[in-house]
Structures are given as C-alpha cells and as structure tokens.
C-alpha cells in the first residue's frame, strides 16, 4: 500500500476536503484525487465520503488509523536520525470542562517536547471515545473505562459537579423550582446536564427556558450574571462560592469518573504526553 496514498487520505480527513488536503500536502487537488482513486482501487472499497466536510467510510477509518500511526512513528524516526524533533502531531480529544481546569498544565509540558504540535479536539467526555476508535486522535479523556481495540486505559480521577446560581436567582426561584428557573447548558449534546435536569424535574412536564452556551468560560460568565443556573465543576465553582458570587442550590453532587485512553503504541512522545496528562490529573479525587 503506497504511503503517499495513505498520507493523502489522512490529510483529507484532517483538513475536511480534497482542496485543503492538497494545499497542506503541496500538491494539486487532482493529484490528491488520483491518489485516493488508486487507494480505493487497491482496497476494493470506497474510502472517502465526498461530502462537506469529507469524511472516511468505515473501511477508510481503518486506513486512517494506520496512517496516523505511521505518521507518528515516521516523525519520531526522523527525529532520531536527524538529531532533532520534526513537527510531530499529538492529537488528543478532551472535554471542555477538563480543558478549562485541570488539563492546562499539559501545555507547559508539551512546550518542552521540541517542535511537537498538540492538536486538541473538544468533545463531550461521552463522545471523545468515538474519535479514538476512528483513529482521529492518539489519546482521549473519556468516561469509558473499558479500552477500545488497540488501546489501553488508566484512571484519571473524578470531577464533581454542583448546581450553582447567583444568590439573587436562587431567591427568585425558591425550592429550587427547577421547572421555572432558567437553565444553562453547553448545548444539545450536553448529556450530563440533560440527564441531571430530568432527575431534578422528577416527572414534571413543565420545562424551564434553556440557553445554550458552547464555551466553558462563557458558561461561567453567564452563570455569574444571573442568566441561569448551571452544573459547574467544583474546580471552577469554589472561588465564586467562597466569595459569595454564587451559591449551591442543593446538596446533590454529580460525580463523573474520567479515564485516559491511548493507543497501545511504542512512542516516546506518546509516553511523555501520557505522563503529563496523569500528572495534571492529580488534582482530581481518585476514581
């Protein structure tokens, strides 16, 4: 199987189109198209969905995973042979709450990895595993403890979430009245908040007005100005609770266990990245 063809397939998946892949590879879109047609002929399978953005088929995902492994190993081999690190891509899926809190020390560590690059994919922790399974990332912060094929898992710790709001909002909707108090969430894919709200409503058919704020930092800001109540990790909420800017709405704790899943691959950089993630997660209570 021609490595150039695999590299072209990976570029299409990463960049989202044949044209963008051609630009990143320094060739013409026609050349990329010919490589993919040749690869599809060799495998006897359609490998790319010609959609916008372009995505890999089930067969294509298998080759994308192989291509990503080859790229990492090739980059590290070049680094050893040349006595320097090339642009080694470390692709990681992480949920937004982790990225905004305990995960940030990883940046300082990656800054010492020579010229290695970090590519983050932001997803809900219930969905990051699908990126790992497809081969889109080398590692993922996930809720799933059972490793996917070809991967290994280690526990990171627990993130504890509390329902918080401004004192004024809590006073306006005593009880709290979950069916009327305006609610904040990350978005429609915020499964944690959706499940928690259903449990709080306890069968009440009336639904509060809901605002979607697809940014952890913005969600905190919206909570602080009284736009609604939200589930906030204790790591984020504690400073505001101590100052009295926010109050706890009840004693309920939503505890989420997080795990680090990574490819079972002999890679010095992937080992260093794993060590960095585990070190950063020491601030979390144990799983």
């Amino acid at each position: 199987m021609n490595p150039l063809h695999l590299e072209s397939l990976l570029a299409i998946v990463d960049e989202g189109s044949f044209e963008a892949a051609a630009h990143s590879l320094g060739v013409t879109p026609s050349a990329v198209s010919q490589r993919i047609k040749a690869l599809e002929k060799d495998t006897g399978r359609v490998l790319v969905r010609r959609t916008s953005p372009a995505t890999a088929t089930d067969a294509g995902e298998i080759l994308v995973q192989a291509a990503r492994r080859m790229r990492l190993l090739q980059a590290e081999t070049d680094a050893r042979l040349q006595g320097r690190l090339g642009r080694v891509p470390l692709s990681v899926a992480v949920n937004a709450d982790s990225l905004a809190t305990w995960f940030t020390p990883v940046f300082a560590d990656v800054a010492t990895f020579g010229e290695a690059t970090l590519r983050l994919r932001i997803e809900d922790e219930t969905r990051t595993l699908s990126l790992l399974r497809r081969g889109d990332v080398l590692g993922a912060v996930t809720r799933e403890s059972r490793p996917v094929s070809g991967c290994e898992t280690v526990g990171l710790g627990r993130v504890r979430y509390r329902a918080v709001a401004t004192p004024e909002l809590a006073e306006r909707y005593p009880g709290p009245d979950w069916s009327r108090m305006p609610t904040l969430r990350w978005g429609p894919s915020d499964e944690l908040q959706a499940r928690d709200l259903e449990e709080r409503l306890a069968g009440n058919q009336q639904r509060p007005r809901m605002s979607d704020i697809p940014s952890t930092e913005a969600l905190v800001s919206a909570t602080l100005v009284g736009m609604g109540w939200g589930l906030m990790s204790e790591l984020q909420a504690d400073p505001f609770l101590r100052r009295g800017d926010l109050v706890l709405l009840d004693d309920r704790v939503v505890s989420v266990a997080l795990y680090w899943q990574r490819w079972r691959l002999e890679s010095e950089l992937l080992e260093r990245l794993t060590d960095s993630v585990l070190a950063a997660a020491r601030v979390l209570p144990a799983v």
Side-chain angles (χ1 to χ4, degrees):
M1 201 170 293
N2 192 318
L4 281 178
H5 296 170
L6 289 174
E7 184 69 15
S8 297
L9 174 63
L10 183 56
I12 290 170
V13 171
D14 282 347
E15 303 297 334
S17 72
F18 282 69
E19 292 75 14
H23 179 74
S24 70
L25 295 171
V27 298
T28 65
S30 177
V32 172
S33 180
Q34 291 301 316
R35 291 176 184 178
I36 297 304
K37 288 179 180 177
L39 188 58
E40 290 179 329
K41 183 178 180 181
D42 286 344
T43 58
R45 299 284 192 278
V46 175
L47 303 175
V48 179
R49 298 185 185 93
R50 273 69 169 179
T51 54
S52 182
T55 59
T57 62
D58 291 345
E61 287 174 359
I62 295 173
L63 295 185
V64 165
Q65 189 176 40
R68 206 175 293 282
R69 285 192 175 102
M70 288 173 58
R71 176 191 280 180
L72 179 64
L73 291 175
Q74 182 63 51
E76 292 191 334
T77 299
D78 290 345
R80 293 189 183 101
L81 289 174
Q82 299 174 20
R84 61 177 177 82
L85 279 174
R87 295 183 68 248
V88 181
L90 296 170
S91 49
V92 174
V94 60
N95 60 304
D97 287 348
S98 293
L99 182 60
T101 53
W102 65 265
F103 192 87
T104 52
V106 173
F107 301 151
D109 290 338
V110 174
T112 69
F113 291 2
E115 295 183 17
T117 58
L118 185 63
R119 291 188 175 182
L120 294 180
R121 297 284 298 273
I122 310 302
E123 264 294 0
D124 183 88
E125 61 270 21
T126 61
R127 300 169 182 266
T128 52
L129 207 61
S130 63
L131 298 175
L132 188 69
R133 187 176 291 112
R134 292 201 306 263
D136 292 347
V137 295
L138 299 171
V141 176
T142 174
R143 290 192 208 174
E144 180 56 58
S145 61
R146 181 179 299 176
V148 301
S149 177
C151 294
E152 57 189 38
T153 305
V154 61
L156 292 173
R158 290 188 174 273
V159 177
R160 292 161 51 93
Y161 291 89
R162 305 297 300 270
V164 298
T166 60
E168 295 77 17
L169 195 68
E171 185 177 351
R172 194 180 312 152
Y173 299 94
D177 187 345
W178 303 112
S179 65
R180 295 180 58 247
M181 186 185 298
T183 307
L184 303 175
R185 65 178 181 178
W186 169 268
S189 64
D190 190 345
E191 297 179 15
L192 178 69
Q193 196 279 344
R195 184 168 58 251
D196 175 74
L197 179 60
E198 287 302 316
E199 292 175 358
R200 293 178 191 276
L201 290 172
N204 191 329
Q205 297 302 309
Q206 182 175 341
R207 290 294 184 271
R209 65 180 186 272
M210 186 85 66
S211 296
D212 292 347
I213 314 291
S215 160
T216 299
E217 294 80 0
L219 194 62
V220 171
S221 297
T223 307
L224 288 170
V225 298
M227 191 174 175
W229 76 272
L231 276 184
M232 194 178 299
S233 72
E234 289 181 339
L235 288 172
Q236 292 173 303
D238 279 351
F240 304 111
L241 292 171
R242 287 196 299 268
R243 291 200 299 263
D245 298 328
L246 297 175
V247 295
L248 295 175
L249 296 176
D250 60 13
D251 296 329
R252 180 187 178 100
V253 177
V254 181
S255 181
V256 176
L258 295 180
Y259 299 86
W260 171 247
Q261 288 215 31
R262 48 153 289 185
W263 285 357
R264 193 179 297 113
L265 182 66
E266 292 186 11
S267 163
E268 179 184 349
L269 278 176
L270 189 52
E271 292 293 342
R272 292 177 67 182
L273 177 64
T274 295
D275 290 343
S276 177
V277 173
L278 297 182
R282 287 174 188 157
V283 299
L284 302 177
V287 173

